[in-house]
Amino acid sequence: MIVPGYRSDAVAADVMRGEETQLRGAVGLGVCNGWVVLPGTHSKWVLLREGRVEQLPTYLTGELFALLGSIAH
């Protein structure tokens, strides 16, 4: 099965490229409602309602940490 990426334009363009397969697995395990956190350099917080993506905010956590670390040195 090929699962395409996901894009949300609610506030700003946020995208998932690959993480949607993790969400598919979570839904398959019965996680159909609530927030799912997908950590990484662009952390994604996905709100699921009845197994569908309702919100997809992303945060530049890894890049911000690296930037602040480089300023401190």
Side-chain angles (χ1 to χ4, degrees), residues 9-23:
D9 292 320
V11 177
D14 284 318
V15 297
M16 277 191 288
R17 291 179 303 269
E19 294 91 346
E20 67 278 0
T21 57
Q22 295 173 332
L23 291 174

Side-chain angles (χ1 to χ4, degrees), residues 29-40:
L29 292 173
V31 179
C32 297
N33 294 293
W35 287 97
V36 177
V37 180
L38 303 168

Side-chain angles (χ1 to χ4, degrees), residues 1-71:
M1 174 191 303
I2 296 175
V3 180
Y6 183 87
R7 178 180 169 147
S8 170
D9 292 320
V11 177
D14 284 318
V15 297
M16 277 191 288
R17 291 179 303 269
E19 294 91 346
E20 67 278 0
T21 57
Q22 295 173 332
L23 291 174
R24 175 101 167 112
V27 170
L29 292 173
V31 179
C32 297
N33 294 293
W35 287 97
V36 177
V37 180
L38 303 168
T41 56
H42 282 82
S43 295
K44 291 152 182 76
W45 289 66
V46 182
L47 179 58
L48 294 176
R49 296 263 191 236
E50 298 181 14
R52 296 178 153 265
V53 175
E54 187 169 291
Q55 292 183 36
L56 169 63
T58 63
Y59 302 94
L60 299 174
T61 51
E63 285 86 347
L64 181 58
F65 181 76
L67 176 64
L68 294 174
S70 68
I71 293 171

